[in-house]
Amino acid sequence: MIALVDCNNFYASAERLFCPRVLKAPVVVLSNNDGCVIARSQEAKDLNIQMGAPAFLMEEQLIKNNVQIFSSNYTLYGSISDRVHATISRFVTDWEKYSIDESFLDLSGFFDLNIYRYCKLIRATVLRNVGIPVTIGIAPTRTLAKMANRYAKKERRQIGVFFLDCQQKTDMVLKYTKVEDIWGIGRQFSALLNRHGILTAWDLVHTPEDWVRKHLSVVGLRLVTELKGIPCAELETEAAIRKNIGIAKSFGSLLSKREDVAKALANYVTAAAEKLRAQGSCCSRIQVFLQTNGFRTQDKQYFQSITLQLPVATNFTPELLHYADIALSRIFKNGYNFKKVGIMLENLVPADQIQLGLYDTRDRDRQKKLMTAVDSINKLFNGKELVKYARQGTGRRWSLRRERLSPCYTTRLSDVLVVK
Amino acid sequence: MIVGGSSPERVTRLVISEGVTINYLDIRISAGFPSPALDFSENDIDLIRELGLDKPSVYIMRVDGKSMEGKDIYIPNGAFISVDRSIKAVAGHVVLAILNQEFTIKTLLRKNGRYVLQPENPDFKPIIVSGDDELIIWGVVDVVFYRVGRKL
């Protein structure tokens, strides 16, 4: 059996933990730059506030209903997520952190009779110890566990645990779930299925396999097999090494000067290079892209990207900054209001397996020591970037708009909750 | 961890799994005897672990005010505290409570069938929780940190 533990309205729940005055009020969390709603408490969902709704379009509705608004604080959510997963992981030997708010647990070896009680205990422990409410769906496969979880969230909110331990229950949930709500079925596929009169997961399970293979490919067939209770995907207990590392963010305000855009880019490159070193990789290709805001019809539009092949794979920040700046020079044009710049580090290879260049004059051993030193200093000061590169600049014109950002209660001593 | 350096004893930390660290003494012998300390090597005291500050149920906070500066229990203004949510609060515990949507640190007592939030400083009045109040126990105050005679 496989259980999916999913935090309820995770970002909103994390904000609430430290803010008692919003315990009963509707809460929404906004995306980067305070643009759209990306998380809602149950009360906000009940007000019919939609996911992805632009905040500026609904100011009146938010104020009228006393909706509490937060900027997204990923430092806080990441830390609380770690606590949730640390708590869950004490209950099982095999588990996979699937996303910031979801974990799959492998419950094979447990007796069915105990599984339900055990999962209720997991739920109660996470709620008490960390302070985050979770819902648990249990089923023979991951796809069904996800479906059981969704059902529990909608129809078994108080209990918060739902176990597909017999075919009657499975059939009930299959009939309850529309094809567009099945994990892994996109909008296109659900439209196709609906056209053929396949409306629910139950309909899909009872569709001939040949038809599924023909229209939904092997991936679709695997999904249907999972819905029938036969597992196709193993738990991935080792976090996969990333193949690309990219950072691209919208600016807090539109930028048109090259030096401002360059500063923003330098900051993204620095952060991406740090991630690159953290996973022990080097990259041999970079891509830089630049774009205007497509929603501003009064502005001239521009989008351009460029890929540079590096002579030797590297994770040395100054080198990456140098090439990123060359790339930017090639695509930058004056006279536009830019909304976003981004860097993508590609062709990642393990740092100890790089192909050296014949004409390479860089002292790569020294560079490595320098980066190790910089990374450990910055780590010591908790990501506050004590050591910076000149290209990053000091101005913050490019930085995110986060006007309603909560403190980083769990990761910075200066931000801890003050209590009377 | 010692980075680089030419000292003959280099300590390498091997993280076996979460919370399990092994100090591996990498000794390069050029001449002489191996270190006699090798067989007796132990880790230094890890207060974070000993005090349970690495538990996912423990949150660090800071106290503002003198209401808990008592004789037996002394939590000075400005001290840091660890609050453990996994401890089940009973009367007598110092708790972090939410009373009518406000955080407060007090000693939890039960008198005449009612909960009382008792300050330890005699200059402050106890709060008797009535039926109209909403009381939530957030966690139990576990450890207090302050530097003697100085700000932390």
Side-chain angles (χ1 to χ4, degrees), chain A residues 301-367:
Chain A
Q301 296 298 318
Y302 182 79
F303 174 89
Q304 193 57 262
S305 78
I306 184 170
T307 302
L308 289 190
Q309 187 71 39
L310 308 184
V312 175
T314 185
N315 58 20
F316 185 51
T317 303
E319 198 178 355
L320 291 167
L321 286 171
H322 169 72
Y323 288 116
D325 199 58
I326 291 176
L328 182 65
S329 302
R330 298 239 184 106
I331 58 173
F332 187 85
K333 273 196 180 152
N334 279 312
Y336 290 94
N337 290 323
F338 291 109
K339 173 74 181 157
K340 187 188 257 187
V341 70
I343 175 84
M344 185 77 102
L345 307 180
E346 302 171 341
N347 277 4
L348 305 194
V349 289
D352 51 4
Q353 292 172 23
I354 57 167
Q355 182 85 44
L356 294 173
L358 194 54
Y359 304 105
D360 188 28
T361 51
R362 286 174 179 267
D363 184 346
R364 296 200 179 265
D365 275 343
R366 267 190 78 181
Q367 292 184 347

Side-chain angles (χ1 to χ4, degrees), chain A residues 24 83 128 130 419-420, chain B residues 58 62 64 85 105 134:
Chain A
K24 286 173 184 158
R83 288 168 184 260
R128 195 187 66 188
V130 187
V419 288
K420 299 228 178 236
Chain B
V58 170
R62 187 164 213 174
D64 175 37
R85 290 182 59 101
I105 294 186
E134 191 190 35

Side-chain angles (χ1 to χ4, degrees), chain A residues 44-63:
Chain A
K45 287 177 184 171
D46 294 343
L47 284 172
N48 215 10
I49 294 170
Q50 295 300 313
M51 203 69 162
F56 70 94
L57 282 181
M58 34 189 263
E59 227 168 296
E60 213 174 300
Q61 191 195 2
L62 295 178
I63 293 166

Side-chain angles (χ1 to χ4, degrees), chain A residues 379-393:
Chain A
K379 202 173 173 198
L380 212 63
F381 289 89
N382 219 351
K384 276 201 188 139
E385 279 206 316
L386 212 64
V387 182
K388 288 176 89 166
Y389 303 89
R391 276 186 215 267
Q392 286 176 261

Side-chain angles (χ1 to χ4, degrees), chain A residues 156-167:
Chain A
R156 298 283 189 278
R157 213 181 279 168
Q158 293 308 316
I159 305 166
V161 179
F162 196 68
F163 185 10
L164 300 184
D165 55 355
C166 62
Q167 195 56 43

